[in-house]
Amino acid sequence: MADSAPPEHTTAHASGSESGNHADRPVYVIGGGPGGLAAAYALRERGIRAVVVEKADRVGTSWRRHYDRLHLHTTRRLSALPGLALPRRFGRWVARDDVVRYLEKYAEHHDLELVTGVEVSRVERSPDGTGWLLRASGGRELTGAAVVVATGYNHTPSLPDWPGLADYPGELVHASDYRDGAPYAGRDVLVVGVGNTGAEIAVDLVERGAARVRLAVRTVPHIVRRSTAGWAAQYSGILVRRLPVGLVDRLSRVMAKASVPDLSAHGLPRPDTGLYTRARQGAIPVQDVGLIDAVRAGKVEIVAAVEGFEDGKVVLVDGSRVEADAVIAATGYERALEDLVGHLGVLDERGRPLAHGGRAPKDAPGLYFTGFTTPISGTLREVGLDAERIAKAVRRHLG
């Protein structure tokens, strides 16, 4: 199933023995996460050879580095990838370790062709113009008939360039390095960022005995219940996906008032911008797994956004200063696609792919992207659907 180096005949293609025939070349899938594995399976199902190239030594790398308490916010049944169900024993909300086990099993079950320990640094058009050339670690040059980029939404940890950060003597870690709250028991901790990661870390810190937990918020998030009377928030996300944005904004506002208490007195007023409007901009709502109760009980204190660092303290935008034992920056990730494909003119001004799923960029036929959106209907569900669309598009592309 797994190889330590790309197939020999692929390397031969790159060294000049290409026939120019698409049939002689595989489709390369860059990234061994859910999106990449699903795309490889869908291609294989259509008789197209797909080779997954993963820079780590095993699949599911990004999932392995997530914090310990993480569970999917989407249901087990609607989070499975094409061709293999998630086991019932994993429960309704699948734990991180079980997601990793599932991805390993998925690659094994479908006998996917994997190349591990090889990092692709740049994608270029092949010299003969009929395919794509991948420049990879170890001086490898791989030529493929098409390429699927599935390196993931959470690729490279992002830390704002706060003034004074370089001279800050205190403990500061990115959320990507956070595993659990045990090391912070009895300590004063500031969590920066109120996305799903920041919200869950704040709750985890409370549950693991942190003496004080403050959550720095720049933009007030939409908060939704993960499930209400058995109805998962994901179900609503799927139902409204094709409705007009304004209508969904109005519906979600009514739902929020009915199911989520007003936290204005605690520093979290209801957002002015609609939920779906915000989601279309890339800011998915926070699914509550304990944050509401923790805020109402005063166990998580909401403070203003971070402005910078000065004299060993954290300066907030409202002028106040926080002296904490540790700062955990849940400040998101970069897609980090610029070096890989930025020269091809396929990214927007924010570094996101101009085309996604089964649509290739206008000037880059045979180049596809998956896993770079955050749909309210569930990322795993959508990468599974994207895999089918990409496989169909590749089939058409190859003629």
Side-chain angles (χ1 to χ4, degrees):
M1 178 186 76
D3 300 312
S4 59
E8 291 183 6
H9 78 274
T10 305
T11 305
H13 281 171
S15 64
S17 63
E18 299 173 355
S19 66
N21 188 340
H22 279 309
D24 294 334
R25 302 169 178 170
V27 173
Y28 280 107
V29 180
I30 307 174
L37 298 179
Y41 164 73
L43 289 163
R44 276 272 306 275
E45 283 295 283
R46 285 166 176 77
I48 302 169
R49 184 183 174 212
V51 179
V52 179
V53 184
E54 166 58 45
K55 69 177 181 179
D57 60 354
R58 49 190 176 174
V59 301
T61 303
S62 63
W63 281 93
R64 297 175 192 275
R65 73 186 182 201
H66 285 311
Y67 46 92
D68 293 346
R69 72 171 283 137
L70 178 66
H71 285 68
L72 292 181
H73 293 157
T74 52
T75 65
R76 171 179 51 81
R77 289 185 178 182
L78 295 179
S79 299
L81 302 178
L84 185 67
L86 277 156
R88 290 176 59 89
R89 67 178 183 277
F90 287 175
R92 192 183 195 197
W93 312 107
V94 182
R96 178 204 64 186
D97 288 349
D98 286 333
V99 172
V100 172
R101 293 187 187 98
Y102 171 73
L103 295 178
E104 293 174 337
K105 181 64 176 179
Y106 190 86
E108 178 185 357
H109 178 79
H110 293 306
D111 195 24
L112 300 180
E113 192 170 351
L114 301 176
V115 175
T116 58
V118 174
E119 182 175 7
V120 178
S121 58
R122 187 176 174 90
V123 176
E124 303 172 355
R125 291 179 176 83
S126 62
D128 64 4
T130 64
W132 294 94
L133 175 67
L134 284 65
R135 300 192 183 277
S137 53
R140 297 175 177 87
E141 294 183 348
L142 318 173
T143 304
V147 174
V148 180
V149 180
T151 50
Y153 193 84
N154 296 335
H155 187 273
T156 302
S158 175
L159 197 63
D161 186 20
W162 287 305
L165 177 60
D167 299 322
Y168 179 63
E171 178 182 344
L172 186 148
V173 299
H174 189 271
S176 60
D177 294 318
Y178 178 92
R179 292 296 172 267
D180 67 77
Y184 301 95
R187 303 175 70 189
D188 185 327
V189 186
L190 172 67
V191 180
V192 183
V194 69
N196 278 292
T197 297
E200 289 204 35
I201 288 177
V203 173
D204 192 47
L205 289 165
V206 169
E207 294 178 354
R208 299 304 293 268
R212 186 178 188 182
V213 179
R214 283 173 281 194
L215 183 58
V217 176
R218 181 173 300 276
T219 303
V220 179
H222 286 274
I223 302 176
V224 300
R225 300 286 190 184
R226 185 171 65 175
S227 179
T228 303
W231 179 266
Q234 182 187 15
Y235 299 162
S236 298
I238 293 171
L239 289 176
V240 305
R241 187 90 193 273
R242 305 300 178 188
L243 296 179
V245 173
L247 175 59
V248 179
D249 284 346
R250 292 191 292 273
L251 291 173
S252 61
R253 192 172 297 115
V254 173
M255 290 285 292
K257 289 183 178 180
S259 61
V260 177
D262 185 358
L263 300 175
S264 299
H266 303 280
L268 283 178
R270 300 191 189 278
D272 295 330
T273 310
L275 183 150
Y276 202 21
T277 295
R278 190 84 65 82
R280 292 286 291 270
Q281 297 168 349
I284 60 174
V286 171
Q287 296 214 20
D288 178 50
V289 290
L291 180 66
I292 292 175
D293 290 343
V295 169
R296 295 179 76 183
K299 296 179 179 179
V300 172
E301 305 169 43
I302 305 300
V303 298
V306 172
E307 177 72 18
F309 295 80
E310 188 175 293
D311 298 328
K313 297 181 180 179
V314 185
V315 181
L316 306 182
V317 295
D318 62 1
S320 61
R321 298 183 175 218
V322 170
E323 190 169 4
D325 297 322
V327 177
I328 300 172
T331 47
Y333 295 81
E334 300 291 340
R335 312 296 86 78
L337 291 170
E338 287 79 6
D339 290 342
L340 186 68
V341 296
H343 55 284
L344 298 172
V346 297
L347 305 177
D348 66 14
E349 66 281 357
R350 296 173 60 185
R352 301 175 302 183
L354 291 169
H356 200 269
R359 294 185 301 113
K362 180 181 178 182
D363 297 325
L367 180 63
Y368 305 91
F369 296 86
T370 183
F372 294 98
T373 60
T374 53
I376 60 175
S377 50
T379 299
L380 290 177
R381 176 180 182 272
E382 292 302 322
V383 297
L385 295 174
D386 271 350
E388 300 293 336
R389 299 182 186 113
I390 289 172
K392 292 177 181 178
V394 170
R395 187 68 176 270
R396 291 193 299 269
H397 173 68
L398 299 183

